[in-house]
Amino acid sequence: MKKPNNCCPKCGKKLSVFYLKQNCPYCGVDMLYYKMDERLEEDALEAERQVEKLNKFKNTVKSSSVASPLLLIRLILFFTPLGSMCLPMYKNLTLITVIMGIVKGELDFNENLLPILSMIFVIVLSLAVIISSLFSSSENGLKRNLIFSFVNTAVFVGFGIETGSLGVGWYITFAIYIFEIVLHFVCDRVIKNRSN
């Protein structure tokens, strides 16, 4: 059991928080250097464990996102809805017109609430899919990716049905989402083949 900081490391006697001397008033041991080698070794082992965790994290992200051309294509594909939303999504409403309408203060939120919410959810849920995909090579990576992608697609389709008047950008974004789901299965095979 680790002793609190305000106790002598050798005899374990409690010291005042205001006691600032180097030697213990009870046993006289030099508290600063007592078992210094052991403490340095413990710190070195802890640093080694942290470096190992960081390396494992980096390897997981690398093997999940850029370890093969297909994984890289999937990663790039995750960002393409930002481009497809610049095409008409709902009637003539695009991501650019929404942004410009907000900047100029000319956007009618009451009339365009569902399309705006749809675009916000596309961005937020796509970000969740991207983050999830960075851990594809970890346990349950495929399941997690599919859950996030299916939720993303279902929310997007739900907003599309409620909004109506779908434009070409909506259909392209939907096609991107379907292609992403297919790529999750393909990339899962690539990851498994690389790890064998």
Side-chain angles (χ1 to χ4, degrees), residues 48-178:
E48 200 175 297
R49 282 192 289 269
Q50 294 303 323
V51 167
E52 199 174 297
K53 281 182 189 175
L54 181 63
N55 286 336
K56 187 178 179 186
F57 174 78
K58 282 180 359 188
N59 290 337
T60 299
V61 170
K62 184 179 177 184
S63 65
S64 299
S65 57
V66 294
S68 83
L70 267 173
L71 292 169
L72 193 55
I73 288 168
R74 181 182 68 166
L75 183 63
I76 293 166
L77 186 72
F78 291 142
F79 295 95
T80 55
L82 289 173
S84 63
M85 287 194 307
C86 293
L87 300 170
M89 292 284 287
Y90 305 98
K91 296 179 186 174
N92 292 325
L93 199 64
T94 69
L95 181 61
I96 294 170
T97 57
V98 168
I99 293 169
M100 293 308 293
I102 292 170
V103 169
K104 292 179 180 178
E106 299 171 354
L107 188 65
D108 184 359
F109 282 98
N110 292 330
E111 186 182 323
N112 298 305
L113 183 61
L114 285 178
I116 292 168
L117 285 175
S118 174
M119 291 184 196
I120 289 170
F121 274 105
V122 165
I123 293 166
V124 171
L125 292 175
S126 290
L127 185 60
V129 172
I130 291 167
I131 292 168
S132 171
S133 75
L134 295 177
F135 303 96
S136 298
S137 67
S138 62
E139 191 177 348
N140 297 319
L142 177 61
K143 287 179 188 174
R144 194 172 41 251
N145 289 342
L146 291 175
I147 288 168
F148 278 111
S149 288
F150 277 123
V151 168
N152 192 10
T153 305
V155 169
F156 180 70
V157 169
F159 272 111
I161 291 168
E162 284 296 316
T163 305
S165 304
L166 306 176
V168 67
W170 190 92
Y171 290 103
I172 292 172
T173 306
F174 179 67
I176 290 167
Y177 284 164
I178 298 301

